[in-house]
Amino acid sequence: QVQLQESGPGLVEPSGTLSLTCAVSGYSISSGHWWSWVRQPPGKGLEWIGEIDYSGSPIYSPSLKSRLTISVDKSKNQFSLNLSSVTAADTAVYYCARQGTYTSDYWGQGILVTVSS
Amino acid sequence: QSALTQPPSASGSPGQSVTISCTGTISDVGGYNYVSWYQQHPGKAPKLMIYEVSKRPSGVPDRFSGSKSGNTASLTVSGLQAEDEADYYCSSYAGSTYVFGTGTKVTVL
């Protein structure tokens, strides 16, 4: 069974960098698929952030591209998200997911990240 | 890249059917047969219910069905049950990126 687990700081200061990691178990990232990040501000809808394939090629949301880096560490079977220059608008629950056929078939439980001083 | 448009709410009595629409453009919903639907209960992660417009993952009841016409996709939940009360989001491939819908809260009366 494929499982994903997000980890990282729950509080980030404004203008700082939000860094999260998604650990994958039950499936080897090196075997394929794309791996994505989605976020959900409190009380609001889902927003696609970006994704990366097993070879390390990322695709970013145009609205976040200038601040975003997604990377993969096949040796640790995990992938990561770095979002720079954060503001309160970046406060959200961040989910990682596995991309099946143009769909997110397995999701992590999510992690709440609050941007505040 | 604007969010896909969904009605904010929908409701139905147990046993009835409810249909949720998801309207996009030719650049997303209308251009690809890659529309997905997700169910989200409060405080939980989204769960895939429909992919590629009308396909159901293993374990999803056949009460859930999807369709598409032009730039609008639809999710129908037949034989509503109490556990179907949740938020539902559509999503579409948009040519290298993805876009989600605004979300619909389904209430079982």
Side-chain angles (χ1 to χ4, degrees), chain A residues 40 59 95 101-104 108, chain B residues 36 38 40 45 48 52 96 98:
Chain A
Q40 184 173 36
I59 298 176
Y95 296 100
T101 309
Y102 299 97
T103 192
S104 299
Chain B
S36 300
Y38 302 92
Q40 186 180 37
L48 178 64
E52 291 183 29
S96 80
Y98 292 83

Side-chain angles (χ1 to χ4, degrees), chain A residues 47-97:
Chain A
E47 178 185 12
W48 184 80
I49 296 172
E51 62 182 11
I52 191 165
D53 76 347
Y54 65 97
S55 70
S57 298
I59 298 176
Y60 300 140
S61 166
S63 63
L64 297 171
K65 187 174 183 177
S66 63
R67 302 190 289 131
L68 184 61
T69 301
I70 297 176
S71 59
V72 64
D73 187 336
K74 288 181 285 186
S75 67
K76 295 182 178 179
N77 213 39
Q78 63 186 33
F79 60 106
S80 300
L81 163 75
N82 282 281
L83 184 64
S84 63
S85 303
V86 296
T87 68
D90 295 308
T91 293
V93 174
Y94 285 77
Y95 296 100
C96 59

Side-chain angles (χ1 to χ4, degrees), chain B residues 1-75:
Chain B
Q1 192 175 32
S2 300
L4 307 175
T5 301
Q6 297 180 234
S9 63
S11 62
S13 300
Q16 290 187 331
S17 296
V18 64
T19 297
I20 304 167
S21 61
C22 169
T23 301
T25 69
I26 189 65
S27 297
D28 38 63
V29 175
Y32 307 93
N33 287 323
Y34 296 131
V35 175
S36 300
W37 288 91
Y38 302 92
Q39 177 191 66
Q40 186 180 37
H41 287 110
K44 300 296 185 181
K47 175 187 175 183
L48 178 64
M49 305 302 283
I50 295 288
Y51 67 101
E52 291 183 29
V53 176
S54 60
K55 297 180 180 180
R56 277 187 313 275
S58 175
V60 172
D62 60 6
R63 302 185 292 104
F64 291 85
S65 62
S67 63
K68 191 188 87 168
S69 178
N71 297 336
T72 299
S74 298
L75 172 72

